[in-house]
Coordinates of all heavy atoms in Angstrom, one line a residue:
M1 N 9.6 43.1 -34.4 CA 10.6 42.1 -34.2 C 10.1 41.2 -33.0 O 9.6 41.6 -32.0 CB 11.9 42.7 -33.8 CG 13.0 41.8 -33.4 SD 13.6 40.7 -34.8 CE 14.6 41.9 -35.7
I2 N 10.4 39.9 -33.2 CA 10.0 38.9 -32.3 C 11.2 38.3 -31.6 O 12.2 38.0 -32.3 CB 9.2 37.7 -32.9 CG1 7.8 38.3 -33.4 CG2 9.0 36.5 -32.0 CD1 7.0 37.3 -34.3
D3 N 11.3 38.2 -30.3 CA 12.3 37.4 -29.6 C 11.8 36.0 -29.4 O 10.7 35.8 -28.9 CB 12.6 38.1 -28.3 CG 13.4 39.4 -28.4 OD1 14.0 39.6 -29.5 OD2 13.4 40.2 -27.4
L4 N 12.6 35.0 -29.8 CA 12.3 33.6 -29.6 C 13.2 33.1 -28.6 O 14.4 33.0 -28.7 CB 12.5 32.9 -31.0 CG 12.4 31.3 -30.8 CD1 11.1 30.9 -30.3 CD2 12.7 30.7 -32.2
Y5 N 12.6 32.7 -27.5 CA 13.3 32.0 -26.4 C 13.3 30.5 -26.7 O 12.3 29.9 -26.7 CB 12.6 32.4 -25.0 CG 12.8 33.8 -24.7 CD1 12.0 34.8 -25.3 CD2 13.9 34.3 -23.9 CE1 12.2 36.1 -25.0 CE2 14.1 35.6 -23.7 CZ 13.2 36.5 -24.2 OH 13.4 37.9 -24.0
Y6 N 14.5 30.0 -26.9 CA 14.7 28.8 -27.6 C 15.8 27.9 -27.1 O 16.8 28.4 -26.5 CB 15.0 29.2 -29.1 CG 15.5 28.1 -30.0 CD1 14.6 27.4 -30.8 CD2 16.9 27.8 -30.1 CE1 15.0 26.4 -31.6 CE2 17.3 26.8 -31.0 CZ 16.4 26.1 -31.8 OH 16.8 25.2 -32.6
W7 N 15.6 26.6 -27.2 CA 16.7 25.6 -27.1 C 16.5 24.6 -28.1 O 15.4 24.5 -28.7 CB 16.8 25.1 -25.6 CG 18.1 24.4 -25.4 CD1 18.3 23.1 -25.0 CD2 19.4 25.1 -25.4 NE1 19.7 22.9 -24.9 CE2 20.4 24.1 -25.1 CE3 19.8 26.4 -25.7 CZ2 21.7 24.3 -25.1 CZ3 21.2 26.6 -25.7 CH2 22.1 25.6 -25.4
T8 N 17.5 23.8 -28.4 CA 17.5 22.8 -29.5 C 16.7 21.6 -29.2 O 17.3 20.5 -29.1 CB 18.9 22.5 -29.9 OG1 19.6 22.0 -28.7 CG2 19.7 23.7 -30.4
T9 N 15.4 21.7 -29.0 CA 14.5 20.6 -28.7 C 13.4 20.6 -29.8 O 13.2 21.7 -30.4 CB 13.9 20.7 -27.3 OG1 12.9 21.8 -27.4 CG2 14.9 21.0 -26.3
P10 N 12.6 19.5 -29.9 CA 11.5 19.6 -30.9 C 10.5 20.7 -30.7 O 10.1 21.3 -31.6 CB 10.9 18.2 -30.7 CG 12.0 17.3 -30.3 CD 12.9 18.2 -29.4
N11 N 10.2 21.0 -29.4 CA 9.3 22.1 -29.2 C 9.9 23.5 -29.6 O 9.2 24.3 -30.1 CB 8.8 22.1 -27.7 CG 7.8 21.1 -27.4 OD1 6.8 21.0 -28.1 ND2 8.0 20.3 -26.3
G12 N 11.2 23.6 -29.4 CA 11.8 24.8 -29.9 C 11.8 24.9 -31.4 O 11.5 25.9 -32.0
H13 N 12.1 23.7 -32.0 CA 12.2 23.7 -33.5 C 10.8 24.1 -34.1 O 10.8 24.7 -35.2 CB 12.6 22.3 -34.0 CG 14.0 21.9 -33.6 ND1 15.0 22.8 -33.4 CD2 14.5 20.7 -33.3 CE1 16.1 22.1 -33.1 NE2 15.8 20.9 -33.0
K14 N 9.7 23.7 -33.5 CA 8.4 24.0 -34.0 C 8.3 25.4 -34.3 O 7.7 25.8 -35.3 CB 7.3 23.6 -33.0 CG 6.9 22.2 -32.8 CD 5.6 22.2 -31.9 CE 5.6 21.0 -31.0 NZ 4.6 21.1 -30.0
I15 N 8.8 26.3 -33.4 CA 8.5 27.7 -33.5 C 9.6 28.3 -34.5 O 9.2 29.2 -35.3 CB 8.6 28.4 -32.2 CG1 7.6 27.7 -31.2 CG2 8.3 29.9 -32.3 CD1 6.2 27.6 -31.7
S16 N 10.8 27.8 -34.5 CA 11.8 28.4 -35.4 C 11.4 28.0 -36.8 O 11.5 28.9 -37.8 CB 13.2 27.9 -35.1 OG 13.3 26.5 -35.1
I17 N 10.8 26.8 -37.0 CA 10.4 26.4 -38.4 C 9.2 27.3 -38.8 O 9.2 27.9 -39.9 CB 10.0 24.9 -38.4 CG1 11.2 24.1 -38.3 CG2 9.2 24.6 -39.7 CD1 10.9 22.6 -38.0
M18 N 8.2 27.6 -37.9 CA 7.1 28.4 -38.3 C 7.6 29.8 -38.6 O 7.1 30.4 -39.6 CB 6.1 28.5 -37.1 CG 4.9 29.4 -37.3 SD 5.2 31.1 -36.9 CE 5.2 31.0 -35.1
L19 N 8.5 30.4 -37.8 CA 9.0 31.8 -38.1 C 9.7 31.8 -39.4 O 9.6 32.8 -40.2 CB 9.9 32.2 -36.9 CG 9.1 32.5 -35.6 CD1 10.1 32.6 -34.5 CD2 8.2 33.7 -35.7
E20 N 10.5 30.8 -39.7 CA 11.2 30.8 -41.0 C 10.2 30.7 -42.2 O 10.3 31.4 -43.1 CB 12.2 29.6 -41.1 CG 13.4 29.8 -40.2 CD 14.4 30.8 -40.7 OE1 14.4 31.1 -41.9 OE2 15.1 31.4 -39.8
E21 N 9.3 29.8 -42.0 CA 8.3 29.6 -43.1 C 7.4 30.8 -43.3 O 7.1 31.1 -44.5 CB 7.4 28.4 -42.8 CG 8.1 27.0 -42.9 CD 8.5 26.7 -44.3 OE1 7.8 27.1 -45.3 OE2 9.6 26.1 -44.5
A22 N 7.1 31.5 -42.3 CA 6.3 32.7 -42.4 C 7.1 34.0 -42.7 O 6.6 35.1 -42.9 CB 5.6 33.0 -41.0
K23 N 8.4 33.8 -42.8 CA 9.4 34.9 -43.2 C 9.2 36.1 -42.2 O 9.2 37.2 -42.6 CB 9.2 35.3 -44.6 CG 9.4 34.2 -45.6 CD 9.4 34.7 -47.0 CE 9.5 33.7 -48.1 NZ 10.1 32.4 -47.8
L24 N 9.1 35.8 -40.9 CA 9.0 36.8 -39.9 C 10.4 37.1 -39.3 O 11.2 36.2 -39.1 CB 8.0 36.4 -38.8 CG 6.6 36.3 -39.2 CD1 5.7 35.5 -38.2 CD2 6.0 37.6 -39.5
A25 N 10.6 38.3 -39.0 CA 11.9 38.7 -38.4 C 11.9 38.3 -37.0 O 11.0 38.6 -36.2 CB 12.1 40.2 -38.6
Y26 N 13.0 37.6 -36.6 CA 13.1 37.2 -35.2 C 14.6 37.1 -34.7 O 15.5 37.0 -35.6 CB 12.4 35.9 -34.9 CG 13.0 34.7 -35.6 CD1 13.8 33.8 -34.8 CD2 12.8 34.4 -36.9 CE1 14.3 32.7 -35.4 CE2 13.3 33.3 -37.5 CZ 14.1 32.4 -36.7 OH 14.7 31.3 -37.3
R27 N 14.7 37.2 -33.4 CA 16.0 37.0 -32.8 C 16.0 35.8 -31.9 O 15.0 35.7 -31.1 CB 16.4 38.3 -31.9 CG 16.6 39.5 -32.6 CD 16.9 40.6 -31.6 NE 15.8 41.0 -30.8 CZ 15.5 42.3 -30.5 NH1 16.2 43.3 -30.9 NH2 14.4 42.5 -29.7
V28 N 17.0 35.0 -31.9 CA 17.0 33.8 -31.0 C 17.6 34.2 -29.7 O 18.7 34.9 -29.7 CB 17.8 32.7 -31.7 CG1 18.0 31.6 -30.7 CG2 17.1 32.2 -32.9
K29 N 16.9 33.9 -28.6 CA 17.4 34.1 -27.3 C 17.6 32.7 -26.7 O 16.6 32.1 -26.2 CB 16.5 34.9 -26.4 CG 16.1 36.3 -27.0 CD 17.2 37.3 -26.7 CE 16.7 38.7 -27.2 NZ 17.7 39.7 -26.8
P30 N 18.8 32.2 -26.7 CA 19.0 30.8 -26.2 C 18.7 30.7 -24.7 O 19.1 31.6 -23.9 CB 20.5 30.6 -26.4 CG 21.0 31.6 -27.3 CD 20.1 32.8 -27.1
I31 N 18.0 29.7 -24.3 CA 17.7 29.3 -22.9 C 18.2 27.9 -22.7 O 17.5 27.0 -23.2 CB 16.2 29.4 -22.6 CG1 15.7 30.8 -22.8 CG2 15.9 29.0 -21.2 CD1 16.2 31.9 -21.9
N32 N 19.4 27.8 -22.1 CA 20.0 26.4 -22.0 C 19.3 25.7 -20.8 O 19.6 25.9 -19.6 CB 21.5 26.6 -21.7 CG 22.2 25.3 -21.7 OD1 21.6 24.2 -21.4 ND2 23.5 25.3 -22.0
I33 N 18.4 24.8 -21.2 CA 17.6 24.1 -20.2 C 18.4 23.1 -19.5 O 18.1 22.7 -18.4 CB 16.3 23.5 -20.8 CG1 16.6 22.5 -21.9 CG2 15.4 24.6 -21.3 CD1 15.3 21.7 -22.3
G34 N 19.5 22.7 -20.1 CA 20.4 21.7 -19.4 C 21.2 22.4 -18.2 O 21.6 21.7 -17.3
R35 N 21.3 23.7 -18.3 CA 21.9 24.5 -17.2 C 20.9 25.1 -16.3 O 21.3 25.9 -15.4 CB 22.8 25.6 -17.8 CG 24.1 25.1 -18.5 CD 25.0 26.2 -18.9 NE 26.1 25.8 -19.7 CZ 26.7 26.6 -20.6 NH1 26.3 27.8 -20.7 NH2 27.7 26.1 -21.3
G36 N 19.7 24.9 -16.6 CA 18.6 25.5 -15.7 C 18.3 26.9 -15.9 O 17.6 27.6 -15.1
E37 N 18.6 27.4 -17.1 CA 18.3 28.8 -17.4 C 16.8 29.1 -17.5 O 16.4 30.3 -17.4 CB 19.0 29.3 -18.7 CG 20.5 29.3 -18.5 CD 21.3 29.6 -19.8 OE1 20.7 29.9 -20.9 OE2 22.6 29.6 -19.7
Q38 N 16.0 28.0 -17.7 CA 14.6 28.2 -17.7 C 14.0 28.7 -16.4 O 12.8 29.1 -16.3 CB 13.8 27.0 -18.2 CG 13.9 25.8 -17.2 CD 15.1 24.9 -17.4 OE1 16.2 25.4 -17.7 NE2 14.9 23.6 -17.1
F39 N 14.8 28.6 -15.3 CA 14.4 29.0 -14.0 C 14.8 30.4 -13.6 O 14.6 30.9 -12.5 CB 14.8 28.0 -12.9 CG 14.3 26.6 -13.1 CD1 15.1 25.6 -13.6 CD2 12.9 26.4 -13.0 CE1 14.6 24.3 -13.8 CE2 12.4 25.1 -13.2 CZ 13.2 24.1 -13.6
D40 N 15.5 31.1 -14.5 CA 16.0 32.5 -14.3 C 14.8 33.4 -14.1 O 13.8 33.3 -14.9 CB 16.8 33.0 -15.4 CG 18.2 32.4 -15.5 OD1 18.6 31.6 -14.6 OD2 18.9 32.7 -16.5
P41 N 14.8 34.2 -13.0 CA 13.6 35.1 -12.8 C 13.2 35.9 -13.9 O 12.0 36.1 -14.2 CB 14.1 35.9 -11.6 CG 15.1 35.1 -10.9 CD 15.8 34.3 -12.0
E42 N 14.2 36.4 -14.7 CA 13.8 37.2 -15.9 C 13.0 36.4 -16.9 O 12.0 36.9 -17.5 CB 15.1 37.8 -16.5 CG 14.8 38.8 -17.6 CD 16.1 39.4 -18.1 OE1 17.2 39.3 -17.5 OE2 16.0 40.0 -19.2
F43 N 13.5 35.2 -17.1 CA 12.8 34.3 -18.1 C 11.4 33.9 -17.6 O 10.4 33.9 -18.3 CB 13.6 33.0 -18.4 CG 12.9 32.1 -19.4 CD1 12.6 32.5 -20.7 CD2 12.5 30.9 -19.0 CE1 12.0 31.7 -21.6 CE2 11.8 30.0 -19.9 CZ 11.6 30.4 -21.2
L44 N 11.3 33.7 -16.3 CA 9.9 33.4 -15.7 C 8.9 34.5 -15.9 O 7.7 34.2 -15.8 CB 10.1 33.0 -14.2 CG 10.9 31.7 -14.0 CD1 11.1 31.4 -12.5 CD2 10.1 30.5 -14.6
T45 N 9.3 35.7 -16.0 CA 8.4 36.8 -16.3 C 7.8 36.6 -17.7 O 6.7 37.1 -18.0 CB 9.0 38.2 -16.1 OG1 9.9 38.4 -17.2 CG2 9.6 38.4 -14.8
I46 N 8.5 35.9 -18.6 CA 8.0 35.7 -20.0 C 7.3 34.3 -20.0 O 6.2 34.2 -20.7 CB 9.2 35.7 -20.9 CG1 9.8 37.1 -20.9 CG2 8.8 35.3 -22.3 CD1 11.2 37.2 -21.5
A47 N 7.8 33.3 -19.4 CA 7.3 32.0 -19.5 C 7.2 31.4 -18.1 O 8.1 30.7 -17.6 CB 8.2 31.1 -20.3
P48 N 6.1 31.7 -17.4 CA 5.9 31.3 -16.0 C 5.9 29.7 -15.8 O 6.0 29.2 -14.7 CB 4.7 31.9 -15.5 CG 3.9 32.4 -16.7 CD 5.0 32.6 -17.8
N49 N 5.8 29.0 -16.9 CA 5.8 27.5 -16.9 C 7.2 27.0 -16.9 O 7.4 25.8 -17.0 CB 4.9 26.9 -18.0 CG 5.5 27.2 -19.4 OD1 6.3 28.0 -19.6 ND2 5.0 26.5 -20.4
N50 N 8.2 27.9 -16.9 CA 9.6 27.5 -17.0 C 10.0 26.5 -18.1 O 10.7 25.6 -17.9 CB 10.2 27.0 -15.6 CG 9.6 25.8 -15.1 OD1 8.7 25.8 -14.3 ND2 10.1 24.6 -15.5
R51 N 9.4 26.8 -19.3 CA 9.7 25.9 -20.4 C 9.8 26.8 -21.7 O 9.2 27.8 -21.8 CB 8.5 25.0 -20.6 CG 8.5 23.9 -19.6 CD 7.3 23.0 -19.8 NE 7.4 21.7 -19.2 CZ 7.3 21.4 -17.9 NH1 6.9 22.4 -17.1 NH2 7.5 20.2 -17.4
I52 N 10.8 26.3 -22.5 CA 10.8 26.9 -23.9 C 9.9 26.1 -24.7 O 9.6 24.9 -24.4 CB 12.3 26.9 -24.4 CG1 12.8 25.4 -24.6 CG2 13.2 27.7 -23.6 CD1 12.6 24.9 -26.0
P53 N 9.3 26.6 -25.8 CA 9.6 27.9 -26.4 C 8.7 29.0 -25.8 O 7.7 28.7 -25.2 CB 9.3 27.7 -27.9 CG 8.2 26.7 -27.8 CD 8.5 25.8 -26.7
A54 N 9.2 30.2 -25.9 CA 8.3 31.4 -25.6 C 8.7 32.5 -26.6 O 9.8 32.4 -27.2 CB 8.6 31.8 -24.2
I55 N 7.9 33.4 -26.8 CA 8.2 34.6 -27.6 C 7.8 35.9 -26.9 O 7.0 35.9 -26.0 CB 7.5 34.5 -29.0 CG1 6.0 34.6 -28.8 CG2 7.9 33.3 -29.8 CD1 5.2 34.9 -30.2
V56 N 8.5 37.0 -27.3 CA 8.0 38.3 -27.1 C 7.9 39.0 -28.4 O 8.9 39.1 -29.1 CB 9.0 39.1 -26.1 CG1 8.5 40.5 -25.9 CG2 9.1 38.4 -24.8
D57 N 6.7 39.5 -28.7 CA 6.4 40.3 -29.9 C 6.5 41.7 -29.5 O 5.7 42.2 -28.8 CB 5.0 39.9 -30.5 CG 4.8 40.6 -31.8 OD1 5.6 41.5 -32.2 OD2 3.7 40.3 -32.4
H58 N 7.5 42.4 -30.0 CA 7.7 43.8 -29.7 C 6.9 44.7 -30.5 O 6.9 45.9 -30.2 CB 9.2 44.1 -29.8 CG 10.1 43.4 -28.8 ND1 10.3 43.9 -27.5 CD2 10.8 42.3 -28.9 CE1 11.0 43.1 -26.8 NE2 11.3 42.1 -27.6
S59 N 6.2 44.2 -31.5 CA 5.3 45.1 -32.3 C 4.0 44.4 -32.6 O 3.7 44.0 -33.7 CB 6.0 45.4 -33.7 OG 7.3 45.7 -33.6
P60 N 3.2 44.2 -31.5 CA 2.0 43.5 -31.7 C 1.0 44.2 -32.7 O 1.2 45.5 -32.8 CB 1.3 43.3 -30.4 CG 2.1 44.2 -29.5 CD 3.4 44.5 -30.1
Q61 N 0.2 43.5 -33.4 CA -0.6 44.1 -34.4 C -1.5 45.2 -33.9 O -1.9 46.1 -34.7 CB -1.5 43.0 -35.1 CG -0.7 42.1 -36.0 CD -1.6 41.1 -36.7 OE1 -2.7 40.7 -36.2 NE2 -1.2 40.7 -37.9
D62 N -1.9 45.1 -32.6 CA -2.8 46.2 -32.1 C -2.1 47.4 -31.7 O -2.6 48.4 -31.2 CB -3.6 45.6 -30.9 CG -2.8 45.3 -29.7 OD1 -1.6 45.5 -29.7 OD2 -3.4 44.8 -28.7
G63 N -0.7 47.4 -31.9 CA 0.1 48.6 -31.6 C 0.3 48.8 -30.1 O 0.8 49.8 -29.7
G64 N 0.0 47.8 -29.3 CA 0.1 47.8 -27.9 C 1.5 47.5 -27.4 O 2.5 47.5 -28.2
Q65 N 1.6 47.3 -26.1 CA 2.9 47.0 -25.5 C 3.4 45.7 -25.9 O 2.6 44.8 -26.4 CB 2.7 47.0 -23.9 CG 2.3 48.4 -23.3 CD 3.4 49.4 -23.5 OE1 4.6 49.1 -23.2 NE2 3.1 50.5 -24.1
P66 N 4.7 45.4 -25.8 CA 5.3 44.1 -26.1 C 4.5 43.0 -25.4 O 4.1 43.1 -24.3 CB 6.7 44.1 -25.6 CG 7.1 45.6 -25.7 CD 5.8 46.3 -25.3
L67 N 4.2 41.9 -26.2 CA 3.4 40.8 -25.7 C 4.2 39.6 -25.6 O 4.9 39.2 -26.6 CB 2.2 40.7 -26.8 CG 1.1 39.7 -26.5 CD1 -0.1 40.2 -27.2 CD2 1.5 38.3 -27.0
S68 N 4.1 38.9 -24.5 CA 4.9 37.7 -24.3 C 3.9 36.5 -24.3 O 2.7 36.7 -24.0 CB 5.7 37.7 -23.0 OG 4.8 37.9 -21.9
M69 N 4.4 35.4 -24.8 CA 3.5 34.2 -25.0 C 4.3 33.0 -24.8 O 5.5 32.9 -25.2 CB 2.9 34.2 -26.4 CG 1.9 33.1 -26.6 SD 1.0 33.4 -28.2 CE 0.0 34.7 -27.7
F70 N 3.7 31.9 -24.1 CA 4.4 30.7 -24.0 C 3.4 29.6 -24.4 O 2.3 29.9 -24.7 CB 4.9 30.4 -22.6 CG 3.9 30.5 -21.5 CD1 3.3 29.4 -21.0 CD2 3.5 31.8 -21.0 CE1 2.3 29.5 -20.0 CE2 2.5 31.9 -20.0 CZ 1.9 30.7 -19.5
E71 N 3.9 28.3 -24.5 CA 3.2 27.1 -25.0 C 3.2 27.1 -26.5 O 2.7 28.0 -27.2 CB 1.7 27.1 -24.5 CG 1.6 26.5 -23.1 CD 2.0 25.0 -23.0 OE1 1.9 24.3 -24.0 OE2 2.4 24.6 -21.9
S72 N 3.9 26.1 -27.1 CA 4.2 26.1 -28.5 C 2.9 26.1 -29.3 O 2.8 26.8 -30.4 CB 5.0 24.9 -28.9 OG 4.3 23.7 -28.5
G73 N 1.8 25.4 -28.9 CA 0.5 25.4 -29.6 C -0.1 26.8 -29.7 O -0.6 27.2 -30.7
A74 N 0.0 27.6 -28.6 CA -0.5 28.9 -28.6 C 0.3 29.9 -29.5 O -0.2 30.7 -30.2 CB -0.5 29.5 -27.1
I75 N 1.6 29.7 -29.5 CA 2.5 30.5 -30.3 C 2.2 30.2 -31.8 O 2.1 31.2 -32.6 CB 4.0 30.3 -30.0 CG1 4.3 30.7 -28.5 CG2 4.9 31.0 -31.0 CD1 5.6 30.2 -28.0
L76 N 2.0 29.0 -32.1 CA 1.7 28.6 -33.5 C 0.4 29.2 -34.0 O 0.2 29.5 -35.2 CB 1.7 27.1 -33.7 CG 3.0 26.4 -33.6 CD1 2.8 24.9 -33.6 CD2 4.0 26.8 -34.7
E77 N -0.5 29.4 -33.1 CA -1.9 30.0 -33.4 C -1.9 31.5 -33.4 O -2.8 32.1 -33.8 CB -2.9 29.5 -32.5 CG -3.2 28.0 -32.7 CD -3.9 27.7 -34.0 OE1 -4.8 28.5 -34.4 OE2 -3.6 26.7 -34.6
Y78 N -0.8 32.1 -32.8 CA -0.8 33.6 -32.6 C -0.8 34.3 -34.0 O 0.1 34.0 -34.8 CB 0.4 34.0 -31.8 CG 0.6 35.4 -31.6 CD1 -0.3 36.2 -31.0 CD2 1.8 36.0 -32.0 CE1 -0.1 37.6 -30.9 CE2 2.1 37.4 -31.8 CZ 1.1 38.1 -31.3 OH 1.3 39.5 -31.1
P79 N -1.8 35.1 -34.3 CA -1.8 35.7 -35.6 C -0.8 36.9 -35.8 O -0.7 37.7 -34.9 CB -3.3 36.3 -35.7 CG -3.7 36.5 -34.3 CD -2.9 35.5 -33.5
R80 N -0.1 36.9 -36.9 CA 0.8 37.9 -37.2 C 0.7 38.3 -38.7 O 0.2 37.5 -39.5 CB 2.2 37.5 -37.0 CG 2.6 37.5 -35.5 CD 3.8 36.6 -35.3 NE 3.5 35.3 -35.7 CZ 3.2 34.3 -34.9 NH1 3.3 34.5 -33.6 NH2 2.9 33.1 -35.3
R81 N 1.1 39.5 -39.0 CA 1.1 39.9 -40.4 C 1.9 39.0 -41.3 O 2.9 38.5 -40.9 CB 1.6 41.3 -40.6 CG 0.7 42.4 -40.1 CD 1.4 43.7 -40.3 NE 0.8 44.7 -39.3 CZ 1.4 45.0 -38.1 NH1 2.5 44.5 -37.8 NH2 0.8 45.8 -37.3
Ligands
LIG1 N1 3.5 22.1 -23.6 C1 4.8 22.8 -23.8 C2 6.0 21.9 -23.5 C3 7.3 22.7 -23.6 C4 8.4 21.8 -23.0 O1 8.2 20.7 -22.5 N2 9.6 22.4 -23.1 C5 10.8 21.7 -22.6 C6 11.8 21.5 -23.7 S1 11.1 20.7 -25.1 C7 11.4 22.5 -21.5 O2 11.5 23.7 -21.6 N3 11.7 21.8 -20.4 C8 12.4 22.5 -19.3 C9 11.9 22.0 -18.0 O3 10.9 21.2 -17.9 O4 12.4 22.5 -17.0 C10 4.8 23.4 -25.1 O5 4.3 22.8 -26.1 O6 5.4 24.5 -25.3

């Protein structure tokens, strides 16, 4: 399962569209950037650039620990089954 840290912006939509098209299971975790939620310390451990989108893959292909990733271009290139 992938957690998508998201807000309703074009960069957020890029990732929700990719996840839908790839038919991958994901949960949306809203980050209201208008309220400054991108600066919450818990979110900064996932996205130290204080920007959405970001993801946490709880089942990475290598069977390792949950993997967090930020930057929409990197997320789009991240290989998944
Ligand atoms: N280069 C980044 C840009 C991400 C970005 O600018 N996100 C905006 C929303 S579209 C954001 O989270 N802004 C919050 C802020 O700057 O504090 C990417 O492609 O992921």
Side-chain angles (χ1 to χ4, degrees):
M1 175 68 77
I2 292 171
D3 288 338
L4 168 61
Y5 292 82
Y6 168 89
W7 196 241
T8 56
T9 71
N11 281 312
H13 297 327
K14 279 188 216 172
I15 307 306
S16 59
I17 290 169
M18 178 275 288
L19 291 168
E20 288 290 335
E21 290 292 327
K23 301 189 186 334
L24 293 167
Y26 67 100
R27 297 180 287 224
V28 172
K29 304 279 188 175
I31 299 293
N32 186 332
I33 62 174
R35 290 190 189 151
E37 292 176 3
Q38 70 274 33
F39 299 108
D40 287 353
E42 189 178 343
F43 180 64
L44 290 174
T45 66
I46 296 163
N49 65 347
N50 63 264
R51 287 176 158 80
I52 63 93
I55 63 167
V56 176
D57 184 353
H58 292 276
S59 321
Q61 285 183 333
D62 67 1
Q65 295 296 307
L67 185 150
S68 59
M69 182 170 291
F70 57 96
E71 280 294 333
S72 60
I75 296 167
L76 290 172
E77 291 292 320
Y78 174 59
R80 286 161 297 259
R81 285 181 205 97

